[in-house]
Amino acid sequence: ADAYLHHHVVFSDHKFYEREKNWWSPMKPKGANRGVSFGAGTESRGTRQAFPSPYRFTTVKGEDSLIANVHIINTRSMEARDAHKCLECPCSSEDRMLGGNDDNVTALFSAVVPRKGSENHCNSFLLAEDNTSCSPSAYFGGLYCCEDGEYCMDAFKDDVPDKPEKSTYHLRYTIEYEPVSRDTKPLYLAACCDATGDVDLPGNIEYDIPQCAPGGEDEDCVHVLETTQTLHGASSDVFGTGGSRSEEDKYVEVVYMVGHLHRGGISVALYLNDTELLCESLPTYGSGEPGEIGNEPGYINSMSSCTFDPPLVLRTTEKIRVVGKYNSSEPHQGVMSLFYIAVSDMPQEPEDVRSRTHGGSVLVATAVGLALLAAILHWRRYDKRRQYDAVDTSINIEV
């Protein structure tokens, strides 16, 4: 293919959201106030977003235009191996001071370091394995070395003509909409989840996959990143929008979940209280011929999603375990294990509110079954006792 769509994230610049203008998001373009309900990576071509009625993402009056951050990487005339490396945004001489060759990193340029920030965004697991994405001193590829107009690899600079050919690409969406009614329940994105963070840290957004030991078995070549977060915790809101910026303890209705992975991704999953699977999002890789649009071999063209109808009712402070898995038979840089979670506020009810949905039918069925079993056993004992001979109470029996 001639181009790779790294990501596209859509924002609103409407003044109604001006209070959110300074909320940070790594993909937020200048002039944007708030992210809206769609945008991800190349996998979105085959990932349809649909929300059960009456849950809808809504707009405000006059919100008739949007701003898109569209990140396209030029891979024209590249062999597949070079294109695969290029789409992971390796740092070049435009980003770092190099030693003897491109892989000998000495330091990021001062212009890149402020964008990158510090390693304090990574969770303890990534820091313990000295993940190269966490620290500016070890960073050698990812979002912060993929700025507009840069070359992804120095080797291609000399091959670029003085007046390179320009290509035009169009991003098309089909959006279905309807008038807001009294029954409409507005949706927004939860802050969770980014597998690089934890309950206190927002997350690094991206991380690197070290290559497994040569000659290892298939099960040994799987890199697993696990963490624990909460729905409205410290996550960075990489899609540019979200709910509460504090740990407000309340119930919300969850209606939709979908994961975001890069090439090499195997799965990303969410578990409630460590063990109860909420959603596992799996990639579908293209299996067509090279250059076959929408079915390119080796690239993710869709992610499975989870829709909850009726909605899943969760507390915003409940612990959620995030698990991202990647194939590590070859190294990868700048990968992500993220979840996009659409939620809606709801009236706050007593503790048994969750019986409406999450586990409710199981609890009710269990209670009814136990009551019925108790009634049957009681009747059997009573019926059996009617057949016993009466004991003469005038006789003393010693045991």
Side-chain angles (χ1 to χ4, degrees):
D2 289 341
Y4 175 78
L5 179 63
H6 184 278
H7 71 259
H8 63 286
V9 185
V10 184
F11 297 81
S12 171
D13 61 350
H14 195 276
K15 62 182 181 180
F16 181 82
Y17 308 112
E18 196 164 9
R19 68 189 184 280
E20 303 177 31
K21 189 170 187 175
N22 295 323
W23 289 2
W24 180 82
S25 174
M27 305 172 201
K28 198 170 186 178
K30 185 178 180 181
N33 291 339
R34 178 179 186 264
V36 296
S37 61
F38 56 94
T42 186
E43 80 280 356
S44 62
R45 294 175 300 174
T47 308
R48 184 174 183 268
Q49 293 181 2
F51 311 106
S53 180
Y55 299 93
R56 300 288 185 263
F57 281 95
T58 59
T59 60
V60 296
K61 186 175 182 180
E63 189 178 1
D64 300 321
S65 63
L66 298 171
I67 298 175
N69 177 336
V70 182
H71 184 182
I72 297 176
I73 299 176
N74 180 2
T75 57
R76 285 183 297 198
S77 304
M78 286 187 182
E79 297 294 331
R81 182 179 179 83
D82 290 332
H84 291 166
K85 184 176 180 180
C86 197
L87 62 87
E88 294 185 350
C89 299
C91 296
S92 69
S93 60
E94 297 180 284
D95 305 299
R96 67 190 186 192
M97 293 175 281
L98 302 176
N101 57 64
D102 284 2
D103 295 323
N104 186 2
V105 181
T106 57
L108 291 179
F109 283 121
S110 57
V112 180
V113 173
R115 298 199 301 261
K116 170 62 188 131
S118 74
E119 59 265 33
N120 293 333
H121 294 301
C122 283
N123 60 33
S124 58
F125 180 93
L126 292 175
L127 293 178
E129 74 170 16
D130 293 325
N131 196 277
T132 45
S133 183
C134 295
S135 172
S137 62
Y139 191 81
F140 64 94
L143 276 175
Y144 303 100
C145 287
C146 239
E147 294 296 301
D148 185 36
E150 289 187 355
Y151 291 97
C152 66
M153 288 188 287
D154 290 307
F156 291 96
K157 277 188 176 182
D158 297 334
D159 298 331
V160 178
D162 293 335
K163 293 183 179 180
E165 178 186 353
K166 291 186 177 181
S167 299
T168 301
Y169 295 95
H170 300 272
L171 181 66
R172 183 176 67 182
Y173 260 91
T174 300
I175 303 175
E176 299 177 2
Y177 63 94
E178 63 188 21
V180 173
S181 69
R182 290 183 177 182
D183 296 328
T184 300
K185 294 185 177 182
L187 291 170
Y188 60 94
L189 296 184
C192 190
C193 296
D194 176 3
T196 66
D198 56 29
V199 291
D200 299 313
L201 296 173
N204 197 55
I205 308 299
E206 57 183 357
Y207 61 105
D208 296 335
I209 304 295
Q211 187 172 11
C212 64
E217 299 294 333
D218 290 344
E219 59 267 22
D220 297 328
C221 289
V222 176
H223 183 276
V224 181
L225 176 60
E226 296 189 33
T227 192
T228 299
Q229 295 183 305
T230 57
L231 270 184
H232 283 1
S235 295
S236 300
D237 292 344
V238 312
F239 296 105
T241 184
S244 170
R245 288 310 202 261
S246 64
E247 284 285 341
E248 182 182 1
D249 187 12
K250 66 177 183 179
Y251 288 107
V252 292
E253 294 177 314
V254 180
V255 301
Y256 181 84
M257 295 179 176
V258 67
H260 171 68
L261 295 170
H262 287 195
R263 180 178 168 271
I266 297 173
S267 67
V268 59
L270 297 183
Y271 295 82
L272 180 64
N273 298 323
D274 284 342
T275 58
E276 188 175 350
L277 180 64
L278 295 177
C279 180
E280 183 178 39
S281 191
L282 303 173
T284 297
Y285 284 87
S287 58
E289 297 296 324
E292 183 179 337
I293 297 175
N295 194 28
E296 300 88 344
Y299 291 87
I300 298 176
N301 57 33
S302 69
M303 292 290 296
S304 64
S305 59
C306 300
T307 301
F308 303 96
D309 185 16
L312 184 67
V313 177
L314 295 177
R315 298 188 78 99
T316 56
T317 53
E318 283 183 295
K319 296 295 189 294
I320 296 176
R321 183 163 64 99
V322 189
V323 182
K325 296 181 179 180
Y326 273 82
N327 185 323
S328 60
S329 58
E330 60 180 283
H332 296 282
Q333 58 198 37
V335 306
M336 302 179 185
S337 291
L338 310 173
F339 250 99
Y340 169 113
I341 305 176
V343 303
S344 181
D345 289 328
M346 61 176 292
Q348 301 305 293
E349 301 291 345
E351 280 292 324
D352 62 354
V353 66
R354 288 180 59 188
S355 65
R356 288 178 43 211
T357 55
H358 186 60
S361 59
V362 176
L363 291 173
V364 171
T366 302
V368 171
L370 289 175
L372 182 59
L373 178 61
I376 292 172
L377 291 175
H378 178 76
W379 167 254
R380 285 182 175 177
R381 285 195 298 267
Y382 174 75
D383 184 63
K384 192 172 183 179
R385 286 171 183 170
R386 290 193 304 167
Q387 303 173 25
Y388 292 166
D389 293 328
V391 177
D392 186 352
T393 57
S394 64
I395 301 174
N396 292 325
I397 301 176
E398 294 183 0
V399 178

